[in-house]
């Protein structure tokens, strides 16, 4: 495969994964803004499903060689940190 084409695919994959991560971050932000209960079953189910889907997307991109595993882990780690902040904010409320 042409190196330029491979780099283009890598850039597109990373942009798409980041866009999906941003959507999840937006869900977390909405919860933080309203400080609604993070243990809400619907919220937990949606967030868990979204995180699981993103993790599968990252695994797929890694298997195709489009991103490094460390970059995928970084994306997931940042989202997990945001979720922890939400929990802390709610428990202090």
């Amino acid at each position: 495969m042409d190196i330029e084409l491979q780099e283009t695919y890598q850039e597109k994959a990373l942009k798409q994964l980041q866009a999906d991560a941003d959507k999840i971050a937006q869900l977390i932000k909405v919860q933080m803004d309203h400080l609604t209960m993070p243990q809400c079953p619907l919220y937990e189910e949606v967030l868990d499903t979204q995180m699981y889907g993103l993790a599968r997307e990252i695994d797929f991109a890694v298997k195709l060689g489009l991103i490094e595993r460390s970059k995928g882990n970084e994306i997931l780690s940042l989202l997990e940190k945001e979720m922890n902040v939400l929990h802390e904010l709610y428990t202090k409320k």
Side-chain angles (χ1 to χ4, degrees):
M1 180 180 292
D2 183 70
I3 291 178
E4 274 187 36
L5 187 58
Q6 178 69 16
E7 288 175 0
T8 300
Y9 287 146
Q10 289 171 333
E11 290 168 3
K12 285 181 179 180
L14 189 55
K15 283 180 185 177
Q16 184 60 53
L17 290 171
Q18 193 58 56
D20 291 346
D22 290 344
K23 288 177 189 175
I24 296 170
Q26 183 60 33
L27 287 173
I28 296 168
K29 183 181 180 319
V30 166
Q31 291 298 111
M32 282 194 282
D33 289 347
H34 300 307
L35 284 181
T36 56
M37 187 169 178
Q39 272 72 34
C40 170
L42 181 58
Y43 167 75
E44 280 187 359
E45 187 173 328
V46 168
L47 194 55
D48 286 348
T49 301
Q50 295 292 318
M51 289 291 287
Y52 178 79
L54 180 61
R56 299 292 60 85
E57 287 180 49
I58 289 170
D59 285 343
F60 185 67
V62 168
K63 287 176 184 175
L64 291 177
L66 296 174
I67 67 166
E68 295 293 323
R69 170 73 57 198
S70 60
K71 184 61 181 172
N73 289 342
E74 180 183 325
I75 292 169
L76 290 173
S77 177
L78 288 172
L79 286 174
E80 288 170 357
K81 286 178 185 174
E82 287 187 47
M83 288 180 359
N84 289 336
V85 168
L86 171 62
H87 263 331
E88 288 176 21
L89 286 174
Y90 185 78
T91 55
K92 289 180 183 178
K93 181 181 174 186

